[in-house]
């Protein structure tokens, strides 16, 4: 893309004049932050969708498709406490999601206990976070026996491995909760066959557990989805929505276990992580092979994207980004977008098929069940850390104003 500075200088030139400064780069840069803030306020003030409030639930028009959205405001803390007053939430596993969801539930005042292996790494981390052995920290079997709602937040591979021990404890009257549809959807591979006399629900925050926690602490809420696998009591849907709010979401949309796991595995292998890393590497390597320096290649590939463009796209949309950039950048971006789509859509179709057919699940279970899987991952991650692009990135990040 053309220089980001030139792009934003042209886009913000009128704002610079209004601010009383000169029109060149410096004035535009001084008004950049306020311009972004103003654009965000404009988005809030004049949303592109219509919202109709009905009995505390919003029906939103998403690009012509009406969907129901359930918001945190529908479930204030007092209502959550009343709804779950007779429940003990037994949260099994204290990884990323277990950490974030568990602490948010505790801060919301609910009766939540943690179940992990005694004296393991998660046990020690839980104690550091204020969980007390014998009070709200127990071994897995003990926690399940005490819980009315069993929140299975173990890793996908661990859920499969521990299911023979967990299943007999899921007696009638309990509720089984997941944050991922992986285990029940791919039961032929995971062997997680659900008892037929319990409610089974899902709440899936659309982000890491650390983000679930940080947004909750900031008074915000991550977006999330919910689904019902099995409704025995007739209350499974309401229970899922209430738990979704209790763990820290700001709003929830309804899905199915199948659609949640298909979209999740597909997304993280595609635009969220795998695909975007592949594009970063391809663009960076071509620049380096054509004689560009590491600093220039990284800035034009990653830094400009993550620090300038992606936040603006997230706040305002791709249409706004096209309108804000220079006409030279706009022409090239629109032309090449179609070429990238044509080249990549077959890859994304192959990826979706691989997810739906269970190939990705089989690969994950086989690899993550190996006794030395952590060591193998660490070797792969070390190789990524040592790639020139990410070593150059450390140097570039050190130059950011907030790091000086």
């Amino acid at each position: 893309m053309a220089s980001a500075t030139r792009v934003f200088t042209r886009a913000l030139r009128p704002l610079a004049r209004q601010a009383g400064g000169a029109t060149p780069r410096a004035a535009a840069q001084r008004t950049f932050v306020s311009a972004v803030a103003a654009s965000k306020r404009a988005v809030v003030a004049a949303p592109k969708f219509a919202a109709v409030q009905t009995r505390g639930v919003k029906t939103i028009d998403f690009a012509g498709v009406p969907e129901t959205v359930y918001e945190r405001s529908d479930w204030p803390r007092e209502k959550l406490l009343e709804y779950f007053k007779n429940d003990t939430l037994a949260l099994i596993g204290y990884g990323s999601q277990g950490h974030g969801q568990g602490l948010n539930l505790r801060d919301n005042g609910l009766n939540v206990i943690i179940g992990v292996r005694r004296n393991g790494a998660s046990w020690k981390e839980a104690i550091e976070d204020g969980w007390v052995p014998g009070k709200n920290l127990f071994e897995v079997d003990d926690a399940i026996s005490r819980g009315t709602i069993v929140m299975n937040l173990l890793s996908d591979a661990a859920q499969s491995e521990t299911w023979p021990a967990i299943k007999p404890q899921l007696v009638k009257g309990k509720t089984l909760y997941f944050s991922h549809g992986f285990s029940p959807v791919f039961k032929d591979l995971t062997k997680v066959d659900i008892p037929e006399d319990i409610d089974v629900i899902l709440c899936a925050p659309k982000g890491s557990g650390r983000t679930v926690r940080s947004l909750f602490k900031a008074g915000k809420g991550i977006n999330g989805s919910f689904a019902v696998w099995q409704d025995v009591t007739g209350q499974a849907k309401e229970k899922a929505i209430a738990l979704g709010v209790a763990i820290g979401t700001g709003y929830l949309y309804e899905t199915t276990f199948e659609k949640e796991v298909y979209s999740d595995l597909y997304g993280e292998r595609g635009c969220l992580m795998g695909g975007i890393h592949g594009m970063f590497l391809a663009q960076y390597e071509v620049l380096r092979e054509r004689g560009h320096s590491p600093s220039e290649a990284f800035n034009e590939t990653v830094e400009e994207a993550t620090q300038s463009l992606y936040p603006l796209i997230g706040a305002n949309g791709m249409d706004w980004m096209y309108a804000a950039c220079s006409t030279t950048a706009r022409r090239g971006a629109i032309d090449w977008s179609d070429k990238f789509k044509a080249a990549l859509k077959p890859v994304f179709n192959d990826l979706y098929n691989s997810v739906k057919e269970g190939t990705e699940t089989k690969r994950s279970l086989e690899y993550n069940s190996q006794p030395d899987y952590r060591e193998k991952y660490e070797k792969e991650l070390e190789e990524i850390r040592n790639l020139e692009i990410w070593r150059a990135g450390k140097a570039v990040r050190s130059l950011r104003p907030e790091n000086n």
Side-chain angles (χ1 to χ4, degrees), residues 280 283 297-307 310 389-390:
F280 281 161
Q283 178 165 312
F298 187 87
N299 273 291
E300 292 294 338
T301 300
V302 179
E303 193 74 353
E304 183 174 340
T306 60
Q307 300 304 298
Y310 291 174
I389 183 174
W390 301 118

Side-chain angles (χ1 to χ4, degrees), residues 361-370:
T361 297
K362 187 173 184 292
R363 162 72 170 157
S364 296
L365 288 173
E366 289 178 349
Y367 191 94
N368 297 333
S369 296
Q370 297 174 24

Side-chain angles (χ1 to χ4, degrees), residues 322-323 325 327-340:
Y322 278 148
C325 71
T327 55
T328 300
R330 187 185 309 159
R331 181 68 271 141
I334 292 174
D335 290 346
W336 279 89
S337 175
D338 288 341
K339 296 178 181 179
F340 276 109

Side-chain angles (χ1 to χ4, degrees), residues 263-285:
S263 61
D264 187 81
L265 295 181
Y266 173 77
E268 63 198 14
R269 284 156 174 74
C271 287
L272 300 181
M273 291 177 64
I276 200 68
H277 190 209
M279 285 191 66
F280 281 161
L281 293 176
Q283 178 165 312
Y284 180 89
E285 289 176 8

Side-chain angles (χ1 to χ4, degrees), residues 14 53 90 102 216 269 275 296 318 342 347 350 356 379 398 403:
Q53 190 74 20
F216 178 85
R269 284 156 174 74
E296 184 170 52
M318 197 71 221
V347 177
D350 288 345
K356 188 172 182 179
K379 184 178 179 181
S398 71
N403 294 329

